[in-house]
Amino acid sequence: MDLFSHTADHTKTFVPLSEKLRPESWDHFFLSTNSISESSLNLFKSGQFPSFVVCGPPGSGKTTLIRLALNEFDGVVVEKNAVDITAKGLREECQKASDRYRFHRKRSLLFVDEVHRLNKSQQDVLLPSIERGDIVFAGATTENPRSVLNPALISRCELISLGQHDESTLEKLLERAIRSLGFNEVSEFVTDEAKEQVLLRSVGDARSLINFIERLHLGFKSIPKAKQKLPLNWKQIVKLFGVDTSRGYQKKSSDHYELTSACIKTMRSGDDGAALYYLCRMLEAGENPEYIARRFIVFASEDIGLADPNMLILATSNLEAVMKVGLPEAGINLAHTCLALAQASKSREAYSKYKKTQKALKSLEAEAVPQHLKNHGAGPLNGNNLPPQAHQMLGTG
């Protein structure tokens, strides 16, 4: 079944509750309030949207947004997965789209799922067709597009970034899921304490939340009637269903920032044991390991910098290792880098000078580059390599 064949007969196979509840109209489409602008949403609803790439973590609504948008598109929709198509295949689809419009005045939309898996050559094939308007291009990815896509492709597409669902959105989804199972209220199925824990362990992932509720319901129906007692409390859920209680932050989304801050600050102070502890807390809570690896890259320049430039190389290599290896083994790569960063000598010179220069620029007019520094400048370099105002404010020569 491809991404858009959601009208197929579902009576022959088991269909997850998350798929059954996937919205088929904008009225039931839930997004966190800061995920997408109203103007962008209206473009999708109108069907008159430009080429775009949607990025976001699992369960953030990427597939649902794309399905609803493409339902509004007046033309031919072609769906591909990046792992299944070659540069030749993309070139053929672009040619078909061009011919389709030329001879039949039919617009074409090419959707590529997991677009981050397209290599540079494959991405380059798309550029002329997007530029000419032969196709409207749509892509979906769990990665940061600016890290994995060519700048030329990004410049031709609107980037839509979806974040993890906030608590209010998750509560609406939880209520809808439980009502779909035959209950009138959430409190008929789970206690308030259990509801809170279910929301926390979903870590903003709507699909995970709904599938967990389905698992609880199926598990509840399978136990002997003598032991069936509703509403379920969290202790019962853990005991009866063997729930992994380590997953999810324990105090709403604030723990995401608090644990990240604790890990960074303990690395900064050189307390490697504490830094490793907070790293493990984040991983146990379900934090995205690539997020942690990227924070380590920033730390390597911001807090270590010139004291040990090799730490930036290590942190950058660590991100690549995490992306290639994946959890659980990637935790070892993160621990390796965490300890190395914590134990390294520290210098904030690069960070401080960057911030100072950045601040100065806001109050400076754009001055001409000194003559001797231009392409054809004559004469040796000297101590006056800054324009006069910049030299005066920055106090360097």
Side-chain angles (χ1 to χ4, degrees), residues 197-298:
Q197 289 298 325
V198 168
L199 291 172
L200 288 174
R201 80 179 303 280
S202 69
V203 199
D205 183 335
R207 185 185 300 107
S208 172
L209 171 70
I210 295 172
N211 286 344
F212 182 69
I213 290 298
E214 181 176 37
R215 176 190 167 195
L216 291 185
H217 187 246
L218 292 173
F220 176 76
K221 291 197 301 182
S222 70
I223 62 178
K225 286 189 177 293
K227 292 185 178 181
Q228 289 184 358
K229 183 181 178 182
L230 290 176
L232 295 170
N233 61 48
W234 186 243
K235 187 175 180 180
Q236 284 177 289
I237 291 172
V238 172
K239 183 178 179 181
L240 293 174
F241 307 113
V243 175
D244 177 8
T245 58
S246 67
R247 186 179 178 191
Y249 288 112
Q250 299 304 305
K251 294 181 181 178
K252 308 187 187 306
S253 61
S254 62
D255 268 14
H256 163 79
Y257 301 104
E258 290 172 1
L259 289 177
T260 301
S261 174
C263 185
I264 295 298
K265 288 177 178 176
T266 49
M267 286 197 301
R268 185 177 294 150
S269 69
D271 189 344
D272 57 356
L276 187 59
Y277 166 79
Y278 290 115
L279 167 65
C280 290
R281 282 275 304 274
M282 285 193 284
L283 291 174
E284 285 295 308
E287 185 61 81
N288 184 343
E290 292 178 26
Y291 163 80
I292 300 173
R294 291 190 174 97
R295 292 297 307 165
F296 284 176
I297 292 175
V298 175

Side-chain angles (χ1 to χ4, degrees), residues 317-336:
S317 299
N318 176 58
L319 174 59
E320 184 178 358
V322 167
M323 292 173 69
K324 288 184 176 180
V325 175
L327 291 174
E329 289 83 356
I332 303 170
N333 303 121
L334 289 168
H336 169 185

Side-chain angles (χ1 to χ4, degrees), residues 14 144 249 309:
F14 172 78
N144 179 353
Y249 288 112

